[in-house]
């Protein structure tokens, strides 16, 4: 041994100038190649070997046979080399990638992995399942039949009195690793001390991969629909297409069917959803909802034209009350304004063209009517721009649109249908350096209206041409600093923004697609406080602000930012969004605007704080305040809190959380719990209670607007959830739901699913059982 070591050291000294290179070995690949499986050598070891060369080998005492992808241990092995078969007895244990089998007697054809194992136990590492069988029949390396089987994912604990919390018994179980499915026949399922549930057959996945079949049924109770039973069926049509058909039986309404179809191709993708209730016993009418989205491109076959982009977003429902009665049908169909849009686009370099048609369906509520938006029938737009690295930036964009609306259900309002065409051209010359920037900009807006009916002044057409001048400039100072004993890089960034737009009376012009922007630390540095193209703010104002940021010098992460800004108006703002009556005061008076102060803190990965405050310049009172806090110390522990004030309009407190109750009662993690949590997405260990919820409370009205309260219990191999949800439908009425779910881990979820409710309402909520990653074949490698 010493000579061998000396030779290695001498060789290393002679070749020390040569670089060391690591080579990948096929023996360490996660998947075994067919060639390795066929041609891999068979190794046998044991305390006593009786060998007949090229014929037979008998191994007794700690017998071990190993080949690529399989390890077999037993008290005694007989290996027929000519037939490549093995017979084993006593203490049998077979390890294969992703599974382990034990039994008393085995006959196996090694190469094809065909045979039978008597009085067997098995374990599937992918989902933590294990069970027993009178006989385990191996069909091939990927498939097996388990006769007179038991199946559970409950972890065995020491002691003869152990019984799993849930257990599936079956006359036969088919395990297909290639299809990642388990099919059981003659099924009986027991949970705790409840009566057994008998099923003729059942199928469930080994992994989170998609498979056609019945999904777990849903049972729920709501105030509007009564008791509800839902049975979905999933169709795995192709790797890029699938569909789900769901039947709803509601005690108060009747039967409804939901159908969802999704597709994904190289040049396009989309989904379609149809909800149909032939007869609603409460409203005595047919109810339906339709929603489809499609995005893709169309190849024209002409090289000079290229491809056209196509986008469709169609949404329609049967009646005004649909959004209140069928909140389960998805976000879009439960809104009161439903858009249907078709867009055709084309681009070549910096030139782009679009054509779209958009129509709205407005769902009216007699207690809270809303004004319908204007339809675009059609809208045609073009844009072109050039952005130079060290020169002028310029662009031109414009469109012409036909606007139509029907205000017949809104007494006192008259739609101003007509056409609007506009062109906006702008040119700027930015100078950007590490120490600051300086950007002058000139814009020209030209707009023409042609209305179907005359305006108040008797004219049915109008033109508006306005220029806008702006100058945006700022400096950046940086230094190294220490904050609370931590090294940081701090910046100080003063900024000045001036904008000038002359006044022009626009009170007679219709408002088709314009609105007022939110007043915040971003929009205060803009030329126009309106969005859309119907209003241009008369502007002669200077905005001054300063921002200071703190960065981690090691990774550049922003730890803290603090900003303040205020606008100085040299003249009154006289342009308002809607047509004002006579003697209306200006939208904003000359002088100082309200003061904006904002801060954001990300001092570490656990805490996040954002706060924006608007202080009234006249009274020094807080006009608006938005405070958001998130605390995320570790997985399955999150607390979100928000306070929103808009003085004179609303004041709300929002609280959301997911937290283990064990923390509140002082329970510490055990060694077993710590081992459990090493697997991501697998909870914090068995026997854990979690509290989850979200509450939105109106302080100004002293009432709860929305509330979700629930408990989750993680028993290790099963999870229980119960969630109460209350949504405010109108000022006087609300809808409540009670959601219950029992999840037999690795088998099925039974009950109404609160998971979508929790994910949509609690930021950073985590499912106690995310889809686990498949284990390595080296997990039980021998």
């Amino acid at each position: 041994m010493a000579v061998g070591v000396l030779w290695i050291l001498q060789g290393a000294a002679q070749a020390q100038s040569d670089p060391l290179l690591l080579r990948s070995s096929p023996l360490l690949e996660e998947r075994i190649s067919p060639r390795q499986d066929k041609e891999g050598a068979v190794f046998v070891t044991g305390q006593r070997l009786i060998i007949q060369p090229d014929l037979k080998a008998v191994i007794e005492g700690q017998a071990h046979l190993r080949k690529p992808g399989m390890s077999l241990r037993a008290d005694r092995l007989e290996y027929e080399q000519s037939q490549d078969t093995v017979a084993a007895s006593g203490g049998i244990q077979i390890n294969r990638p992703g599974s382990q089998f034990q039994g008393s007697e085995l006959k196996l054809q090694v190469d094809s992995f065909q045979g039978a194992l008597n009085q067997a136990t098995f374990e599937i590492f992918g989902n933590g399942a294990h069970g027993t069988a009178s006989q385990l029949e191996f069909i091939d390396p990927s498939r097996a039949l388990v006769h007179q089987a038991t199946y559970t994912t409950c972890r065995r604990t020491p002691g003869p009195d152990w019984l799993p919390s849930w257990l599936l018994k079956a006359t036969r179980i088919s395990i297909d690793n290639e299809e990642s499915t388990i099919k059981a026949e003659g099924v009986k399922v027991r949970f705790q001390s409840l009566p057994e549930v008998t099923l003729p057959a059942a199928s469930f996945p080994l992994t989170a991969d998609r498979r056609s079949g019945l999904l777990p049924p849903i049972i729920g109770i709501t105030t509007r629909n009564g008791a509800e039973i839902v049975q979905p069926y999933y169709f795995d049509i192709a790797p890029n297409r699938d569909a789900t058909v769901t039947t709803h039986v509601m005690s108060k309404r009747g039967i409804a069917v939901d159908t969802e179809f999704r597709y994904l191709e190289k040049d396009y993708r989309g989904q379609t959803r149809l909800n149909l209730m032939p007869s609603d016993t409460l409203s005595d009418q047919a109810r339906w909802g339709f929603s489809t989205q499609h995005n893709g491109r169309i190849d024209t076959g002409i090289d000079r034209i290229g491809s056209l982009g196509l986008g469709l977003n169609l949404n329609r429902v049967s009646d005004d009350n649909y959004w209140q009665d069928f909140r389960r049908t998805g976000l879009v169909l439960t809104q009161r304004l439903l858009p249907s849009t078709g867009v055709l686009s084309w681009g070549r370099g910096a030139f782009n063209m679009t054509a779209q048609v958009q129509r709205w369906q407005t769902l009216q509520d007699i207690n809270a009517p809303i004004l319908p938006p204007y339809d675009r029938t059609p809208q045609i737009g073009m844009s072109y721009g050039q952005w130079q690295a060290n020169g002028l930036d310029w662009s031109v964009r414009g469109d012409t649109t036909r606007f139509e609306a029907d205000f017949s259900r809104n007494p006192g309002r008259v739609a101003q249908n007509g056409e609007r065409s506009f062109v906006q051209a702008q040119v700027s010359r930015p100078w950007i350096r590490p120490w600051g920037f300086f950007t002058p900009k000139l814009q020209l807006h030209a707009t023409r209206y042609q209305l179907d009916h005359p305006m108040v002044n008797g004219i049915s057409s109008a033109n508006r041409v306005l220029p806008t001048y702006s100058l945006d400039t700022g400096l950046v100072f940086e230094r190294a600093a220490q904050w609370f004993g931590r090294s940081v890089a701090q910046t100080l960034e003063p900024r000045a923004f001036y904008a000038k737009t002359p006044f022009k009376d626009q009170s007679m012009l219709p408002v088709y697609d314009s609105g007022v922007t939110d007043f915040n630390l971003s929009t205060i540095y803009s030329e126009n406080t309106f969005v859309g193209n119907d209003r241009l703010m008369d502007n002669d104002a200077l905005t001054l602000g300063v921002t200071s940021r703190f960065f981690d010098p090691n990774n550049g992460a922003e730890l803290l930012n603090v900003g303040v800004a205020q606008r100085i108006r040299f003249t009154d703002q006289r342009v308002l969004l809607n047509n004002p009556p006579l003697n209306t005061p200006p939208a904003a008076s000359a002088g100082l605007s309200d003061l904006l102060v904002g801060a954001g803190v990300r001092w570490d990965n656990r805490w996040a704080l954002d706060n924006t405050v608007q202080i009234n310049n006249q009274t020094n009172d807080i006009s608006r305040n938005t405070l958001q806090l998130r605390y995320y110390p570790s997985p399955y522990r999150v607390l979100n809190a928000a306070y929103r004030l808009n003085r004179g309009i609303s004041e709300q407190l929002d609280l959301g959380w997911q937290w283990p109750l064990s923390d509140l009662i002082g329970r510490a993690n055990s060694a077993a719990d710590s081992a459990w949590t090493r697997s991501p997405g697998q909870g914090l260990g068995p026997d854990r209670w979690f509290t989850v919820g979200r509450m939105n409370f109106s302080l100004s009205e002293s009432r709860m607007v929305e509330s979700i309260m629930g408990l989750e219990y993680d028993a290790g191999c099963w999870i229980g959830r119960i969630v109460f949800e209350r949504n405010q439908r109108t000022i006087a009425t609300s809808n409540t739901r009670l959601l219950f779910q029992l999840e037999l881990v690795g088998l099925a979820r039974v009950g109404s699913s609160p998971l979508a409710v929790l994910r949509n309402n609690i930021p950073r909520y985590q499912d106690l059982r995310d889809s686990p990653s498949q284990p390595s074949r080296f997990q039980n490698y021998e």
Side-chain angles (χ1 to χ4, degrees):
M1 178 66 69
V3 175
V5 173
L6 179 62
W7 181 85
I8 294 172
L9 293 175
Q10 289 175 342
Q14 294 172 356
Q16 61 182 351
S17 59
D18 298 334
L20 293 175
L21 299 177
L22 295 178
R23 294 182 301 172
S24 62
S25 170
L27 299 178
L28 298 179
E29 291 180 355
E30 195 60 50
R31 288 187 173 273
I32 299 173
S33 67
R35 180 177 179 181
Q36 283 181 278
D37 191 38
K38 290 287 185 183
E39 301 178 4
V42 176
F43 298 89
V44 293
T45 60
Q47 293 178 339
R48 183 184 178 197
L49 279 73
I50 302 174
I51 299 177
Q52 294 177 321
D54 299 327
L55 293 176
K56 183 178 180 180
V58 178
I59 308 99
E60 297 179 342
Q62 299 181 9
H64 186 196
L65 181 147
R66 181 168 58 87
K67 63 166 291 188
M70 187 192 77
S71 171
L72 169 61
R73 292 184 180 273
D75 294 339
R76 186 178 188 277
L77 291 175
E78 291 187 13
Y79 178 63
E80 296 282 352
Q81 187 174 356
S82 60
Q83 302 295 324
D84 195 27
T85 60
V86 63
S89 60
I92 298 170
Q93 177 176 299
I94 304 173
N95 283 336
R96 287 186 56 79
S99 58
Q100 184 182 86
F101 309 96
Q102 296 178 344
S104 60
E105 186 179 358
L106 171 71
K107 292 184 178 180
L108 183 70
Q109 209 286 328
V110 178
D111 185 40
S112 62
F113 203 73
Q114 293 178 337
L117 177 66
N118 295 328
Q119 302 303 315
T121 64
F122 61 91
E123 184 174 0
I124 302 172
F125 302 135
N127 59 2
H130 59 91
T132 63
S134 62
Q135 186 183 69
L136 205 155
E137 182 181 351
F138 301 107
I139 307 300
D140 55 37
S142 299
R143 295 178 297 165
L145 293 178
V146 188
H147 300 277
Q148 301 301 320
T150 65
Y151 180 93
T152 186
T153 57
C154 298
R155 292 193 174 189
R156 180 178 291 276
T157 57
D161 298 331
W162 174 81
L163 284 176
S165 298
W166 69 267
L167 183 69
L168 180 146
K169 297 179 181 179
T171 56
R172 189 172 76 165
I173 291 179
S174 301
I175 301 176
D176 192 331
N177 289 298
E178 194 169 291
E179 295 293 330
S180 298
T181 58
I182 293 179
K183 296 180 181 179
E185 301 173 5
V187 178
K188 292 182 179 180
V189 180
R190 176 190 59 80
F191 175 71
Q192 300 288 26
S193 58
L194 298 178
E196 286 185 339
V197 176
T198 302
L199 299 170
S203 176
F204 44 96
L206 277 170
T207 65
D209 296 340
R210 309 178 321 184
R211 291 291 178 268
S212 296
L214 289 170
L215 300 180
I218 298 171
I219 303 171
I221 301 175
T222 69
T223 54
R224 295 191 66 82
N225 300 331
E228 185 174 3
I229 300 176
V230 180
Q231 179 58 68
Y233 190 94
Y234 179 78
F235 294 91
D236 183 20
I237 302 172
N240 60 335
R241 294 186 185 92
D242 65 5
T244 305
V245 178
T246 306
T247 303
H248 300 255
V249 180
M250 293 165 276
S251 62
K252 291 185 178 181
R253 295 191 179 276
I255 299 176
V257 177
D258 295 350
T259 304
E260 183 183 42
F261 172 64
R262 302 185 300 177
Y263 55 91
L264 173 64
E265 299 289 348
K266 178 183 178 181
D267 294 330
Y268 58 89
R269 66 179 63 189
Q271 61 180 7
T272 298
R273 188 164 190 169
L274 175 64
N275 317 122
L276 179 62
M277 176 178 282
S279 178
D280 183 353
T281 55
L282 283 183
S283 61
D284 195 23
Q285 63 175 332
R287 313 289 295 275
W288 57 267
F290 175 77
S291 177
T292 184
Q293 293 78 39
H294 174 93
N295 288 284
R297 62 178 185 174
I298 303 172
D299 190 356
T300 62
I302 304 174
D303 294 338
R304 305 182 93 183
I305 296 179
S307 298
L308 300 177
L310 175 64
L312 294 175
N313 179 22
L314 309 179
N315 302 279
R316 280 294 184 269
V317 297
S318 57
D319 55 87
D320 284 340
N321 294 322
Y322 193 91
W323 67 282
Q324 297 179 347
D325 296 339
F326 301 102
R327 290 182 177 272
R328 60 180 166 78
T329 55
L331 178 63
V332 174
L333 294 184
T334 57
Q335 298 173 349
R336 295 183 62 187
L337 293 174
L338 304 182
S340 290
T341 308
V343 180
L344 197 64
S345 60
W346 176 83
R348 180 61 59 88
F351 183 73
N352 295 280
M353 294 181 62
T354 60
Q356 76 163 332
V357 175
Q358 182 180 60
R359 292 187 178 275
W360 295 86
Q361 181 183 12
T362 305
L363 309 185
Q364 294 290 2
D365 185 340
I366 190 172
N367 297 316
I370 56 178
L371 194 66
Y374 281 88
D375 298 334
R376 304 166 192 254
T377 58
Q379 180 181 35
I380 300 174
M382 293 181 289
S383 65
Y384 183 82
Q386 291 288 336
W387 291 266
Q388 308 295 332
N390 296 300
L392 293 176
D393 293 346
W394 65 272
S395 65
V396 178
R397 68 182 184 93
D399 77 27
T400 181
T401 307
R402 168 71 184 179
F403 290 99
E404 294 180 349
D406 182 5
F407 292 170
S408 59
R409 301 178 67 183
N410 301 85
R413 300 301 299 267
V414 178
Q416 294 179 287
N417 297 340
E419 291 89 31
R420 185 197 67 196
S421 302
F422 89 92
V423 175
Q424 176 187 300
Q426 69 176 32
V427 60
S428 63
R429 176 56 171 96
W431 283 272
I432 301 175
R433 298 294 183 269
W435 48 263
F437 61 92
F438 181 85
T439 306
K441 182 193 292 186
L442 172 63
Q443 295 178 324
L444 182 66
H445 313 267
T447 311
R448 176 174 175 80
Y449 292 85
Q450 186 66 47
L451 307 180
D452 294 353
H453 303 286
M455 295 179 286
V456 178
N457 58 5
I459 300 175
S460 58
S461 63
N463 296 320
R464 182 192 63 195
V465 179
L466 284 172
T468 296
Y469 315 93
S470 66
L471 176 62
D472 193 6
T473 182
L475 298 173
V476 179
F477 302 96
E478 184 175 346
R479 67 164 187 167
Q482 291 280 333
W483 269 70
F484 303 103
R486 182 174 183 174
S487 298
V488 297
Q490 180 188 4
T491 67
L492 186 67
E493 306 169 29
R495 183 178 179 183
F497 179 83
Y498 175 76
K500 171 69 174 178
T501 302
F503 169 76
K504 187 166 187 175
D505 185 12
Q506 305 166 51
S507 59
M508 297 296 176
L509 301 179
V511 179
Y512 290 135
D513 60 359
S514 294
V516 180
T517 61
D518 182 52
F519 185 58
N520 55 48
L521 286 170
S522 296
T523 60
I524 196 172
Y525 298 101
S526 61
E527 295 92 348
N528 191 15
T529 60
F530 300 109
V531 293
N533 298 290
D534 296 311
R535 293 292 184 268
L536 286 173
M537 176 184 69
D538 54 317
N539 206 356
D540 187 10
L542 174 66
T543 300
L544 298 176
V546 62
T547 301
S548 183
R549 308 176 198 270
F550 295 80
F551 297 93
D552 188 324
N554 298 317
N555 56 26
E558 185 178 273
L559 307 175
L560 170 68
N561 70 78
V562 180
V564 60
Q566 192 168 34
R567 180 180 289 156
I568 306 171
R569 289 197 170 276
F570 302 112
T571 58
D572 294 343
Q573 178 190 334
R574 299 159 60 190
V575 176
L576 300 175
L577 178 63
N578 297 308
N579 300 341
L582 296 175
N583 302 320
T584 300
S589 302
L592 296 176
S593 70
D594 288 353
L595 181 68
L596 291 176
V597 180
V601 182
R602 305 287 188 278
W603 201 249
D604 58 31
N605 293 329
R606 299 173 300 166
W607 291 94
L609 174 68
D610 292 287
N611 187 209
T612 302
V613 178
Q614 179 179 336
I615 302 174
N616 188 285
N617 179 56
Q618 302 297 324
T619 63
N620 292 327
D621 293 332
I622 296 177
S623 301
R624 296 174 60 198
N625 187 6
T626 300
L627 176 64
Q628 295 178 313
L629 171 68
R630 185 184 72 241
Y631 179 52
Y632 182 70
S634 62
Y636 310 102
R637 295 177 175 89
V638 63
L639 176 64
N640 304 289
Y643 171 76
R644 301 179 181 90
L645 168 67
N646 193 352
R647 191 169 299 279
I649 299 177
S650 65
E651 185 178 11
Q652 292 186 339
L653 181 65
D654 199 316
L655 185 66
W657 69 91
Q658 179 188 27
W659 207 269
L661 285 174
S662 57
D663 289 7
L664 305 180
I665 61 176
R667 170 181 166 180
N669 281 346
S670 66
D673 293 345
S674 299
W676 183 285
T677 57
R678 281 196 292 266
S679 299
Q682 298 301 298
L684 296 177
D687 194 22
R688 294 274 184 170
W689 284 93
F690 294 80
T691 175
V692 293
R694 180 175 181 179
M695 295 187 298
N696 187 299
F697 186 79
S698 174
L699 299 174
S700 57
E701 299 174 328
S702 299
R703 66 180 179 90
M704 191 72 71
V705 179
E706 291 184 338
S707 58
I708 298 172
M709 301 287 290
L711 290 172
E712 296 181 296
Y713 177 69
D714 187 351
C717 62
W718 64 272
I719 297 172
R721 297 182 179 93
I722 184 168
V723 174
F724 174 81
E725 180 186 18
R726 179 183 179 274
N727 292 314
Q728 196 74 25
R729 292 175 49 233
T730 65
I731 296 176
T733 61
S734 62
N735 186 33
T736 59
R737 291 198 299 170
L738 182 62
L739 307 174
F740 168 77
Q741 183 180 72
L742 173 64
E743 177 180 350
L744 304 181
V745 176
L747 184 64
R749 290 169 175 164
V750 181
S752 55
S753 176
L755 289 175
V757 174
L758 298 177
R759 292 191 193 104
N760 294 336
N761 289 276
I762 305 174
R764 289 211 173 191
Y765 168 83
Q766 283 184 276
D767 186 354
L768 296 179
R769 289 297 182 277
D770 290 334
S771 299
S773 58
Q774 291 303 299
S776 168
R777 72 180 178 95
F778 300 104
Q779 177 173 321
N780 280 50
Y781 180 75
E782 293 186 336

